[in-house]
Amino acid sequence: MPATIVVGTQWGDEGKGKFTDLLAKEMAMVVRYQGGHNAGHTLVVNGERFALQLVPSGVLYEHIVPVIGNGVVVDPFVLLKEMAMLESRGVDTSRIRVSGNAHLIMPYHQQLDALHERHLGKAKLGTTKRGIGPAYADKSMRLGIRVQDLLDEEIFRAKIDAALGHANKVLTKVFNRLPIDPVQLADRVLAECLEPLRPHISDSVNLIHEALEAGQNVLFEGAQATFLDLDHGTYPFVTSSNPIAGGACAGAGIGPKHIDSVLGIAKAYVTRVGAGPFPTELFDADGERMVEIGREFGTNTGRRRRPGWFDAVMLRHAVRLNSLTELAITKLDVLDSFDTVKLCVAYDIDGRRVEHLPYHQSELHRATPIYEEFPGWKTDLTAATEPSHLPRPAANYLRRLEEQVGVPVSLVSTGPGREQFIHWSASGTNAA
Ligand code: IMP
């Protein structure tokens, strides 16, 4: 157990927060390793709903040290606002640690994200406009500003100067906008963020290794998901970081040998926000029902998510990319009222049956799903907490899904609450 990674296996919003929170009981530390406040984790604890963007979900447990790793991009204003929200609801945030090597999202990143999207017109990516892409771009251009820079005023001001030297040219000459004053921006960030953040800024790599060396359990929490990965997702309709399990190594500072297990989270159907290919997408009443019953609207942005049937072809690829050791299926209850439930087992591409994800994206655009169809269970699953509580059609669907994906399903979620889940591995029917 010591190092476990939780990773989304589809296009995000799989409900990772719930299982991260569930596993958190056994963890001493929960580490975010990539992304920023483009993520949205909804947790329902004792009937109370918490929507988190940046702070690792383990914050709701007093015994956990929540760590924002070096691979994350941090909007300091958003982080402080989220911490204030948690404090106002009685959650202690003093244990939160932020890597000094994490990069800062500055207001110009956010502005540039929105301008780039507008500039792309019809070709827009549908980003969250949180400045994620421009902040990672600056990191790659070596123009980024790190959290640790806040601790040295001279360096911070010099770096803001250098970054704005570039960003202001883009703002004024490309987008015809007003330049941002570096002195004013540095003054504002230092005045509003430095002191409240100071106690949280830390050497996260050392912290994580100390915990691992002491035999403590550490959970690495991926944001977004496998097919939004910058390298392995449906580029360019992806985020600007590496959510796949391997991203935890770079984004937290651990070697691959430290990783003991990788839990993939998959929804019992699929959703995606923003543009990009989606072979099993539904445009019919079934899709509408998934959106309505599953409340498929962005936690932070409120955007409607595009719905579709479960895609085992994608999942098999996600197993490879992440070395998944087990799978958790979420939102099975959303399908409770469906007459039939479908599982995509292969694609038809130009008359050929294809069982693996085509590497060429044009083929993915042309792929039509080949489905297996199952009778629905037409039973309310929201009170099911044991494998034996599942009606046969629901159990059959899960078993077939497990066979198709080739990795054991260990957990099945049947509702948003902390206690609404089944230890499916206890059913003794796991595929592997
Ligand atoms: P960005 O991460 O804001 O740059 O957006 C790039 C793509 O990733 C867009 O299609 C977003 O909708 C998608 N995306 C980013 N974060 C999430 C998330 O937490 N859930 C689902 N989709 C996301």
Side-chain angles (χ1 to χ4, degrees), residues 26-75:
E26 299 154 29
M27 301 292 158
M29 190 176 271
V30 175
V31 185
R32 273 274 309 264
Y33 57 84
Q34 45 69 233
H37 65 300
N38 47 349
H41 287 170
T42 311
L43 300 168
V44 180
V45 181
N46 300 330
E48 253 199 281
R49 208 162 168 273
F50 289 88
L52 301 176
Q53 298 177 290
L54 256 180
V55 175
S57 9
V59 71
L60 301 177
Y61 284 97
E62 277 172 18
H63 67 276
I64 285 185
V65 180
V67 178
I68 296 176
N70 57 274
V72 176
V73 281
V74 178
D75 183 322

Side-chain angles (χ1 to χ4, degrees), residues 227-251:
F227 293 98
L228 289 173
D229 186 276
L230 183 59
D231 289 80
H232 297 284
T234 45
Y235 192 89
F237 306 105
V238 293
T239 194
S240 297
S241 63
N242 291 110
I244 57 165
C249 292

Side-chain angles (χ1 to χ4, degrees), residues 84-156:
M85 177 277 289
L86 286 164
E87 286 287 341
S88 74
R89 294 176 69 181
V91 179
D92 173 24
T93 60
S94 64
R95 304 174 321 278
I96 295 172
R97 294 291 171 267
V98 187
S99 167
N101 283 2
H103 279 243
L104 290 174
I105 296 182
M106 289 282 98
Y108 50 88
H109 292 130
Q110 202 140 338
Q111 200 182 345
L112 286 168
D113 197 352
L115 288 166
H116 280 301
E117 279 286 272
R118 196 179 312 163
H119 180 72
L120 284 172
K122 271 198 193 147
K124 73 175 181 182
L125 308 174
T127 75
T128 58
K129 298 186 186 153
R130 302 282 155 91
I132 308 293
Y136 278 117
D138 271 1
K139 176 178 174 176
S140 296
M141 295 235 292
R142 276 71 51 92
L143 279 174
I145 297 165
R146 294 189 293 176
V147 169
Q148 61 174 290
D149 297 331
L150 287 167
L151 301 174
D152 186 322
E153 183 172 341
E154 204 178 315
I155 285 190
F156 183 72

Side-chain angles (χ1 to χ4, degrees), residues 60-338:
L60 301 177
Y61 284 97
E62 277 172 18
H63 67 276
I64 285 185
V65 180
V67 178
I68 296 176
N70 57 274
V72 176
V73 281
V74 178
D75 183 322
F77 298 102
V78 170
L79 177 58
L80 289 172
K81 204 166 148 201
E82 192 164 320
M83 284 164 61
M85 177 277 289
L86 286 164
E87 286 287 341
S88 74
R89 294 176 69 181
V91 179
D92 173 24
T93 60
S94 64
R95 304 174 321 278
I96 295 172
R97 294 291 171 267
V98 187
S99 167
N101 283 2
H103 279 243
L104 290 174
I105 296 182
M106 289 282 98
Y108 50 88
H109 292 130
Q110 202 140 338
Q111 200 182 345
L112 286 168
D113 197 352
L115 288 166
H116 280 301
E117 279 286 272
R118 196 179 312 163
H119 180 72
L120 284 172
K122 271 198 193 147
K124 73 175 181 182
L125 308 174
T127 75
T128 58
K129 298 186 186 153
R130 302 282 155 91
I132 308 293
Y136 278 117
D138 271 1
K139 176 178 174 176
S140 296
M141 295 235 292
R142 276 71 51 92
L143 279 174
I145 297 165
R146 294 189 293 176
V147 169
Q148 61 174 290
D149 297 331
L150 287 167
L151 301 174
D152 186 322
E153 183 172 341
E154 204 178 315
I155 285 190
F156 183 72
R157 288 185 184 279
K159 289 201 172 182
I160 287 272
D161 256 355
L164 277 177
H166 180 263
N168 274 340
K169 283 200 186 76
V170 179
L171 282 173
T172 56
K173 299 202 187 318
V174 178
F175 294 114
N176 205 18
R177 292 295 188 282
L178 292 172
I180 291 173
D181 180 55
V183 176
Q184 269 179 20
L185 177 62
D187 285 350
R188 180 173 160 231
V189 177
L190 289 169
E192 293 179 32
C193 305
L194 174 56
E195 287 316 316
L197 282 183
R198 192 192 288 278
H200 302 278
I201 301 173
S202 65
D203 178 352
S204 60
V205 172
N206 190 44
L207 271 182
I208 293 165
H209 282 273
E210 276 179 359
L212 289 171
E213 280 155 23
Q216 295 179 339
N217 293 332
V218 180
L219 188 72
F220 296 88
E221 181 183 29
Q224 291 84 49
T226 302
F227 293 98
L228 289 173
D229 186 276
L230 183 59
D231 289 80
H232 297 284
T234 45
Y235 192 89
F237 306 105
V238 293
T239 194
S240 297
S241 63
N242 291 110
I244 57 165
C249 292
I254 52 165
K257 286 191 172 175
H258 275 111
I259 299 161
D260 299 286
S261 53
V262 185
L263 172 66
I265 314 288
K267 216 157 13 189
Y269 48 99
V270 185
T271 60
R272 124 163 256 179
V273 206
F278 182 175
T280 63
E281 183 166 14
L282 291 171
F283 300 94
D284 60 6
D286 280 344
E288 265 320 306
R289 261 163 93 197
M290 284 171 188
V291 171
E292 208 176 292
I293 301 172
R295 298 212 272 158
E296 297 296 353
F297 295 92
T299 313
N300 301 311
T301 58
R303 287 188 294 173
R304 180 186 183 276
R305 300 178 184 140
R306 299 157 58 194
W309 290 115
F310 190 93
D311 187 339
V313 182
M314 280 177 67
L315 251 287
R316 288 194 288 269
H317 199 63
V319 169
R320 286 179 161 180
L321 291 175
N322 295 294
S323 298
L324 294 188
T325 52
E326 53 190 308
L327 203 60
I329 300 293
T330 59
K331 290 190 147 182
L332 186 64
D333 56 296
V334 172
L335 304 179
D336 283 355
S337 63
F338 283 67

Side-chain angles (χ1 to χ4, degrees), residues 380-399:
D380 180 357
L381 298 185
T382 53
T385 50
E386 303 278 339
S388 61
H389 294 166
L390 286 189
R392 187 169 297 176
N396 286 345
Y397 173 68
L398 282 178
R399 280 190 204 110

Side-chain angles (χ1 to χ4, degrees), residues 279 311 313-314 344 346-349 352-354 357 367-368 370:
D311 187 339
V313 182
M314 280 177 67
C344 168
Y347 299 144
D348 180 314
I349 302 176
R352 280 176 301 127
R353 182 184 169 98
V354 175
L357 204 74
T368 53
I370 298 174

